[in-house]
Amino acid sequence: ALIYLALSAVHEKIGNTDRVVILDQKGVAVCGDNPTVCQEVGDQAGYSLWRMGRYQEAYDIFEALRKTNTDDWEPLHGLGLIAMSKQHFELAEPLLLAADQLHPNDYMVLGTLVLIYSHQGRCRESAQLVSRLLSLYPENAQKLATVAKCPQ
């Protein structure tokens, strides 16, 4: 299963999206009885599909993973990314806050919330999260300055 995942990542980098989907599906199908491997392969397949704009397929994977393991934060993050990408910020925020509860201070989860708050003009909340992120990840100060643009 992990070999399919690695091959999928290579094909994603070269833009072979059809092959990515096939490899991700094969990886999920052969992950066997190891729930950790199945979770990892499923998470990566969902993120790949999301990056390719195949939101329904990504949603199906993340939703199945969420139902299988309610203590895992990544399916919640994936579902939040999909909702944000479809401009459903009111659905994305609670998913991302739940992901943060399960896996506090994850850079990607909090960064996604910054994008949502900034887009919604919730400048104070965005600034608070940026401050939190800067204290946790000072090496990303420049990147955070570019994503935390809040309309005045």
Side-chain angles (χ1 to χ4, degrees), residues 54-87:
R54 297 175 76 149
Y55 300 138
Q56 187 59 52
E57 292 164 281
Y59 175 88
D60 292 343
I61 288 173
F62 284 127
E63 187 61 24
L65 291 170
R66 186 188 64 79
K67 289 177 181 174
T68 304
N69 185 355
T70 58
D71 293 330
D72 187 21
W73 64 276
E74 284 198 89
L76 295 168
H77 178 239
L79 291 168
L81 285 171
I82 294 165
M84 181 191 75
S85 298
K86 296 172 83 175
Q87 305 288 307

mmCIF file of all heavy atoms in Angstrom, residues 54-87:
data_model
loop_
_atom_site.group_PDB
_atom_site.id
_atom_site.type_symbol
_atom_site.label_atom_id
_atom_site.label_comp_id
_atom_site.label_asym_id
_atom_site.label_seq_id
_atom_site.Cartn_x
_atom_site.Cartn_y
_atom_site.Cartn_z
ATOM 1 N N ARG A 54 -10.697 17.326 -7.234
ATOM 2 C CA ARG A 54 -11.698 16.249 -7.302
ATOM 3 C C ARG A 54 -12.339 16.129 -5.921
ATOM 4 O O ARG A 54 -12.115 15.183 -5.178
ATOM 5 C CB ARG A 54 -11.033 14.967 -7.767
ATOM 6 C CG ARG A 54 -10.483 15.135 -9.200
ATOM 7 C CD ARG A 54 -9.717 13.966 -9.670
ATOM 8 N NE ARG A 54 -10.610 12.871 -10.028
ATOM 9 C CZ ARG A 54 -10.355 11.977 -10.964
ATOM 10 N NH1 ARG A 54 -9.240 12.063 -11.651
ATOM 11 N NH2 ARG A 54 -11.180 11.010 -11.201
ATOM 12 N N TYR A 55 -13.131 17.148 -5.604
ATOM 13 C CA TYR A 55 -13.630 17.329 -4.245
ATOM 14 C C TYR A 55 -14.578 16.230 -3.783
ATOM 15 O O TYR A 55 -14.513 15.822 -2.628
ATOM 16 C CB TYR A 55 -14.309 18.690 -4.097
ATOM 17 C CG TYR A 55 -13.385 19.849 -4.374
ATOM 18 C CD1 TYR A 55 -13.816 20.942 -5.124
ATOM 19 C CD2 TYR A 55 -12.073 19.869 -3.904
ATOM 20 C CE1 TYR A 55 -12.974 22.016 -5.380
ATOM 21 C CE2 TYR A 55 -11.223 20.927 -4.161
ATOM 22 C CZ TYR A 55 -11.688 22.002 -4.889
ATOM 23 O OH TYR A 55 -10.853 23.053 -5.143
ATOM 24 N N GLN A 56 -15.445 15.757 -4.639
ATOM 25 C CA GLN A 56 -16.386 14.720 -4.203
ATOM 26 C C GLN A 56 -15.658 13.427 -3.853
ATOM 27 O O GLN A 56 -15.964 12.787 -2.848
ATOM 28 C CB GLN A 56 -17.472 14.463 -5.260
ATOM 29 C CG GLN A 56 -18.558 13.514 -4.778
ATOM 30 C CD GLN A 56 -19.271 14.018 -3.536
ATOM 31 O OE1 GLN A 56 -19.747 15.145 -3.481
ATOM 32 N NE2 GLN A 56 -19.348 13.187 -2.490
ATOM 33 N N GLU A 57 -14.697 13.041 -4.688
ATOM 34 C CA GLU A 57 -13.942 11.821 -4.395
ATOM 35 C C GLU A 57 -13.122 11.972 -3.113
ATOM 36 O O GLU A 57 -13.042 11.048 -2.296
ATOM 37 C CB GLU A 57 -13.017 11.485 -5.568
ATOM 38 C CG GLU A 57 -13.773 11.076 -6.822
ATOM 39 C CD GLU A 57 -12.881 11.120 -8.049
ATOM 40 O OE1 GLU A 57 -12.653 12.218 -8.580
ATOM 41 O OE2 GLU A 57 -12.412 10.045 -8.457
ATOM 42 N N ALA A 58 -12.526 13.144 -2.934
ATOM 43 C CA ALA A 58 -11.772 13.401 -1.701
ATOM 44 C C ALA A 58 -12.707 13.379 -0.495
ATOM 45 O O ALA A 58 -12.383 12.800 0.547
ATOM 46 C CB ALA A 58 -11.056 14.744 -1.794
ATOM 47 N N TYR A 59 -13.882 14.009 -0.657
ATOM 48 C CA TYR A 59 -14.867 14.023 0.424
ATOM 49 C C TYR A 59 -15.245 12.598 0.822
ATOM 50 O O TYR A 59 -15.296 12.277 2.015
ATOM 51 C CB TYR A 59 -16.115 14.802 -0.004
ATOM 52 C CG TYR A 59 -17.213 14.748 1.018
ATOM 53 C CD1 TYR A 59 -17.272 15.679 2.048
ATOM 54 C CD2 TYR A 59 -18.181 13.748 0.978
ATOM 55 C CE1 TYR A 59 -18.274 15.617 3.006
ATOM 56 C CE2 TYR A 59 -19.178 13.678 1.935
ATOM 57 C CZ TYR A 59 -19.222 14.614 2.943
ATOM 58 O OH TYR A 59 -20.208 14.524 3.892
ATOM 59 N N ASP A 60 -15.500 11.754 -0.157
ATOM 60 C CA ASP A 60 -15.902 10.374 0.135
ATOM 61 C C ASP A 60 -14.835 9.648 0.953
ATOM 62 O O ASP A 60 -15.154 8.928 1.908
ATOM 63 C CB ASP A 60 -16.185 9.617 -1.163
ATOM 64 C CG ASP A 60 -17.421 10.132 -1.900
ATOM 65 O OD1 ASP A 60 -18.251 10.842 -1.281
ATOM 66 O OD2 ASP A 60 -17.542 9.831 -3.104
ATOM 67 N N ILE A 61 -13.572 9.846 0.593
ATOM 68 C CA ILE A 61 -12.487 9.194 1.333
ATOM 69 C C ILE A 61 -12.394 9.738 2.750
ATOM 70 O O ILE A 61 -12.356 8.983 3.725
ATOM 71 C CB ILE A 61 -11.145 9.362 0.591
ATOM 72 C CG1 ILE A 61 -11.135 8.481 -0.655
ATOM 73 C CG2 ILE A 61 -9.966 9.020 1.512
ATOM 74 C CD1 ILE A 61 -9.940 8.686 -1.549
ATOM 75 N N PHE A 62 -12.363 11.069 2.882
ATOM 76 C CA PHE A 62 -12.218 11.665 4.216
ATOM 77 C C PHE A 62 -13.413 11.343 5.118
ATOM 78 O O PHE A 62 -13.250 11.104 6.312
ATOM 79 C CB PHE A 62 -12.019 13.179 4.128
ATOM 80 C CG PHE A 62 -10.644 13.587 3.689
ATOM 81 C CD1 PHE A 62 -10.468 14.454 2.631
ATOM 82 C CD2 PHE A 62 -9.513 13.116 4.345
ATOM 83 C CE1 PHE A 62 -9.196 14.852 2.230
ATOM 84 C CE2 PHE A 62 -8.242 13.500 3.958
ATOM 85 C CZ PHE A 62 -8.087 14.368 2.897
ATOM 86 N N GLU A 63 -14.590 11.322 4.542
ATOM 87 C CA GLU A 63 -15.778 11.008 5.343
ATOM 88 C C GLU A 63 -15.735 9.565 5.830
ATOM 89 O O GLU A 63 -16.060 9.267 6.981
ATOM 90 C CB GLU A 63 -17.050 11.283 4.534
ATOM 91 C CG GLU A 63 -18.326 11.146 5.314
ATOM 92 C CD GLU A 63 -18.457 12.093 6.498
ATOM 93 O OE1 GLU A 63 -17.831 13.163 6.529
ATOM 94 O OE2 GLU A 63 -19.223 11.744 7.435
ATOM 95 N N ALA A 64 -15.321 8.643 4.958
ATOM 96 C CA ALA A 64 -15.188 7.236 5.374
ATOM 97 C C ALA A 64 -14.134 7.093 6.466
ATOM 98 O O ALA A 64 -14.338 6.368 7.450
ATOM 99 C CB ALA A 64 -14.839 6.367 4.166
ATOM 100 N N LEU A 65 -13.016 7.804 6.326
ATOM 101 C CA LEU A 65 -11.968 7.752 7.344
ATOM 102 C C LEU A 65 -12.445 8.343 8.666
ATOM 103 O O LEU A 65 -12.121 7.838 9.741
ATOM 104 C CB LEU A 65 -10.720 8.500 6.865
ATOM 105 C CG LEU A 65 -9.952 7.864 5.726
ATOM 106 C CD1 LEU A 65 -8.891 8.825 5.184
ATOM 107 C CD2 LEU A 65 -9.313 6.558 6.167
ATOM 108 N N ARG A 66 -13.211 9.420 8.578
ATOM 109 C CA ARG A 66 -13.742 10.055 9.795
ATOM 110 C C ARG A 66 -14.651 9.102 10.550
ATOM 111 O O ARG A 66 -14.600 9.010 11.779
ATOM 112 C CB ARG A 66 -14.496 11.338 9.443
ATOM 113 C CG ARG A 66 -14.957 12.132 10.666
ATOM 114 C CD ARG A 66 -15.866 13.280 10.276
ATOM 115 N NE ARG A 66 -17.108 12.816 9.662
ATOM 116 C CZ ARG A 66 -18.148 12.332 10.347
ATOM 117 N NH1 ARG A 66 -18.109 12.233 11.648
ATOM 118 N NH2 ARG A 66 -19.230 11.951 9.703
ATOM 119 N N LYS A 67 -15.463 8.371 9.825
ATOM 120 C CA LYS A 67 -16.383 7.420 10.461
ATOM 121 C C LYS A 67 -15.636 6.225 11.054
ATOM 122 O O LYS A 67 -16.058 5.677 12.062
ATOM 123 C CB LYS A 67 -17.425 6.940 9.449
ATOM 124 C CG LYS A 67 -18.429 8.008 9.088
ATOM 125 C CD LYS A 67 -19.402 7.521 8.036
ATOM 126 C CE LYS A 67 -20.380 8.622 7.679
ATOM 127 N NZ LYS A 67 -21.252 8.243 6.582
ATOM 128 N N THR A 68 -14.529 5.848 10.426
ATOM 129 C CA THR A 68 -13.744 4.706 10.882
ATOM 130 C C THR A 68 -12.964 5.022 12.151
ATOM 131 O O THR A 68 -12.847 4.183 13.040
ATOM 132 C CB THR A 68 -12.759 4.263 9.779
ATOM 133 O OG1 THR A 68 -13.503 3.978 8.603
ATOM 134 C CG2 THR A 68 -11.987 3.025 10.193
ATOM 135 N N ASN A 69 -12.410 6.233 12.217
ATOM 136 C CA ASN A 69 -11.582 6.608 13.359
ATOM 137 C C ASN A 69 -11.925 8.031 13.787
ATOM 138 O O ASN A 69 -11.383 8.999 13.244
ATOM 139 C CB ASN A 69 -10.099 6.499 12.994
ATOM 140 C CG ASN A 69 -9.192 6.769 14.179
ATOM 141 O OD1 ASN A 69 -9.647 7.136 15.258
ATOM 142 N ND2 ASN A 69 -7.902 6.597 13.972
ATOM 143 N N THR A 70 -12.785 8.143 14.766
ATOM 144 C CA THR A 70 -13.252 9.464 15.200
ATOM 145 C C THR A 70 -12.196 10.243 15.977
ATOM 146 O O THR A 70 -12.392 11.420 16.252
ATOM 147 C CB THR A 70 -14.524 9.330 16.056
ATOM 148 O OG1 THR A 70 -14.229 8.486 17.178
ATOM 149 C CG2 THR A 70 -15.670 8.751 15.251
ATOM 150 N N ASP A 71 -11.086 9.599 16.322
ATOM 151 C CA ASP A 71 -10.015 10.287 17.046
ATOM 152 C C ASP A 71 -8.925 10.835 16.137
ATOM 153 O O ASP A 71 -7.938 11.383 16.618
ATOM 154 C CB ASP A 71 -9.369 9.335 18.070
ATOM 155 C CG ASP A 71 -10.321 8.964 19.180
ATOM 156 O OD1 ASP A 71 -11.202 9.787 19.512
ATOM 157 O OD2 ASP A 71 -10.191 7.853 19.721
ATOM 158 N N ASP A 72 -9.074 10.684 14.833
ATOM 159 C CA ASP A 72 -8.052 11.161 13.902
ATOM 160 C C ASP A 72 -8.435 12.550 13.397
ATOM 161 O O ASP A 72 -9.553 12.778 12.943
ATOM 162 C CB ASP A 72 -7.915 10.184 12.730
ATOM 163 C CG ASP A 72 -6.750 10.538 11.819
ATOM 164 O OD1 ASP A 72 -5.835 11.261 12.266
ATOM 165 O OD2 ASP A 72 -6.754 10.098 10.659
ATOM 166 N N TRP A 73 -7.486 13.446 13.449
ATOM 167 C CA TRP A 73 -7.724 14.832 13.061
ATOM 168 C C TRP A 73 -7.635 15.051 11.550
ATOM 169 O O TRP A 73 -8.257 15.973 11.024
ATOM 170 C CB TRP A 73 -6.719 15.749 13.764
ATOM 171 C CG TRP A 73 -5.297 15.487 13.355
ATOM 172 C CD1 TRP A 73 -4.456 14.530 13.860
ATOM 173 C CD2 TRP A 73 -4.563 16.159 12.346
ATOM 174 N NE1 TRP A 73 -3.241 14.569 13.216
ATOM 175 C CE2 TRP A 73 -3.272 15.573 12.281
ATOM 176 C CE3 TRP A 73 -4.856 17.214 11.475
ATOM 177 C CZ2 TRP A 73 -2.285 16.000 11.397
ATOM 178 C CZ3 TRP A 73 -3.868 17.633 10.597
ATOM 179 C CH2 TRP A 73 -2.608 17.028 10.570
ATOM 180 N N GLU A 74 -6.872 14.227 10.835
ATOM 181 C CA GLU A 74 -6.644 14.499 9.412
ATOM 182 C C GLU A 74 -7.909 14.445 8.546
ATOM 183 O O GLU A 74 -8.071 15.289 7.661
ATOM 184 C CB GLU A 74 -5.545 13.608 8.855
ATOM 185 C CG GLU A 74 -4.180 14.105 9.292
ATOM 186 C CD GLU A 74 -3.054 13.565 8.460
ATOM 187 O OE1 GLU A 74 -2.731 14.198 7.446
ATOM 188 O OE2 GLU A 74 -2.508 12.519 8.850
ATOM 189 N N PRO A 75 -8.819 13.492 8.762
ATOM 190 C CA PRO A 75 -10.048 13.547 7.965
ATOM 191 C C PRO A 75 -10.843 14.841 8.195
ATOM 192 O O PRO A 75 -11.415 15.391 7.252
ATOM 193 C CB PRO A 75 -10.834 12.322 8.435
ATOM 194 C CG PRO A 75 -9.796 11.386 8.947
ATOM 195 C CD PRO A 75 -8.735 12.259 9.555
ATOM 196 N N LEU A 76 -10.828 15.333 9.429
ATOM 197 C CA LEU A 76 -11.516 16.603 9.705
ATOM 198 C C LEU A 76 -10.833 17.748 8.964
ATOM 199 O O LEU A 76 -11.500 18.619 8.388
ATOM 200 C CB LEU A 76 -11.530 16.881 11.209
ATOM 201 C CG LEU A 76 -12.337 15.898 12.051
ATOM 202 C CD1 LEU A 76 -12.048 16.101 13.533
ATOM 203 C CD2 LEU A 76 -13.819 16.048 11.764
ATOM 204 N N HIS A 77 -9.507 17.753 8.971
ATOM 205 C CA HIS A 77 -8.766 18.773 8.231
ATOM 206 C C HIS A 77 -9.070 18.676 6.742
ATOM 207 O O HIS A 77 -9.337 19.683 6.076
ATOM 208 C CB HIS A 77 -7.265 18.622 8.485
ATOM 209 C CG HIS A 77 -6.435 19.596 7.721
ATOM 210 N ND1 HIS A 77 -5.475 19.198 6.824
ATOM 211 C CD2 HIS A 77 -6.431 20.947 7.701
ATOM 212 C CE1 HIS A 77 -4.921 20.272 6.282
ATOM 213 N NE2 HIS A 77 -5.478 21.341 6.796
ATOM 214 N N GLY A 78 -9.058 17.454 6.198
ATOM 215 C CA GLY A 78 -9.371 17.268 4.782
ATOM 216 C C GLY A 78 -10.764 17.743 4.425
ATOM 217 O O GLY A 78 -10.964 18.434 3.417
ATOM 218 N N LEU A 79 -11.733 17.406 5.256
ATOM 219 C CA LEU A 79 -13.113 17.864 5.009
ATOM 220 C C LEU A 79 -13.206 19.388 5.106
ATOM 221 O O LEU A 79 -13.932 20.033 4.343
ATOM 222 C CB LEU A 79 -14.072 17.196 5.992
ATOM 223 C CG LEU A 79 -14.271 15.690 5.791
ATOM 224 C CD1 LEU A 79 -14.989 15.082 6.987
ATOM 225 C CD2 LEU A 79 -15.019 15.404 4.497
ATOM 226 N N GLY A 80 -12.444 19.967 6.042
ATOM 227 C CA GLY A 80 -12.406 21.427 6.157
ATOM 228 C C GLY A 80 -11.800 22.086 4.934
ATOM 229 O O GLY A 80 -12.281 23.120 4.461
ATOM 230 N N LEU A 81 -10.735 21.493 4.390
ATOM 231 C CA LEU A 81 -10.126 22.025 3.166
ATOM 232 C C LEU A 81 -11.103 21.992 1.994
ATOM 233 O O LEU A 81 -11.182 22.937 1.210
ATOM 234 C CB LEU A 81 -8.877 21.215 2.804
ATOM 235 C CG LEU A 81 -7.630 21.445 3.638
ATOM 236 C CD1 LEU A 81 -6.561 20.415 3.281
ATOM 237 C CD2 LEU A 81 -7.099 22.849 3.447
ATOM 238 N N ILE A 82 -11.824 20.893 1.893
ATOM 239 C CA ILE A 82 -12.802 20.777 0.804
ATOM 240 C C ILE A 82 -13.886 21.839 0.944
ATOM 241 O O ILE A 82 -14.229 22.529 -0.023
ATOM 242 C CB ILE A 82 -13.417 19.360 0.774
ATOM 243 C CG1 ILE A 82 -12.340 18.338 0.410
ATOM 244 C CG2 ILE A 82 -14.592 19.292 -0.202
ATOM 245 C CD1 ILE A 82 -12.730 16.902 0.709
ATOM 246 N N ALA A 83 -14.415 21.991 2.157
ATOM 247 C CA ALA A 83 -15.452 23.000 2.387
ATOM 248 C C ALA A 83 -14.915 24.399 2.075
ATOM 249 O O ALA A 83 -15.597 25.208 1.428
ATOM 250 C CB ALA A 83 -15.956 22.918 3.826
ATOM 251 N N MET A 84 -13.689 24.693 2.506
ATOM 252 C CA MET A 84 -13.100 26.000 2.222
ATOM 253 C C MET A 84 -12.933 26.201 0.718
ATOM 254 O O MET A 84 -13.240 27.265 0.194
ATOM 255 C CB MET A 84 -11.747 26.141 2.914
ATOM 256 C CG MET A 84 -11.099 27.505 2.671
ATOM 257 S SD MET A 84 -9.390 27.609 3.199
ATOM 258 C CE MET A 84 -8.576 26.672 1.900
ATOM 259 N N SER A 85 -12.461 25.181 0.036
ATOM 260 C CA SER A 85 -12.246 25.281 -1.410
ATOM 261 C C SER A 85 -13.540 25.540 -2.163
ATOM 262 O O SER A 85 -13.523 26.142 -3.236
ATOM 263 C CB SER A 85 -11.593 24.002 -1.930
ATOM 264 O OG SER A 85 -10.329 23.816 -1.336
ATOM 265 N N LYS A 86 -14.643 25.102 -1.599
ATOM 266 C CA LYS A 86 -15.955 25.311 -2.226
ATOM 267 C C LYS A 86 -16.640 26.557 -1.667
ATOM 268 O O LYS A 86 -17.833 26.760 -1.891
ATOM 269 C CB LYS A 86 -16.814 24.068 -2.017
ATOM 270 C CG LYS A 86 -16.231 22.842 -2.728
ATOM 271 C CD LYS A 86 -16.953 21.580 -2.367
ATOM 272 C CE LYS A 86 -18.194 21.439 -3.205
ATOM 273 N NZ LYS A 86 -18.882 20.151 -2.959
ATOM 274 N N GLN A 87 -15.855 27.379 -0.923
ATOM 275 C CA GLN A 87 -16.345 28.629 -0.349
ATOM 276 C C GLN A 87 -17.437 28.423 0.708
ATOM 277 O O GLN A 87 -18.232 29.306 0.975
ATOM 278 C CB GLN A 87 -16.876 29.573 -1.450
ATOM 279 C CG GLN A 87 -15.877 29.876 -2.553
ATOM 280 C CD GLN A 87 -14.755 30.783 -2.084
ATOM 281 O OE1 GLN A 87 -14.990 31.827 -1.540
ATOM 282 N NE2 GLN A 87 -13.531 30.343 -2.282
#
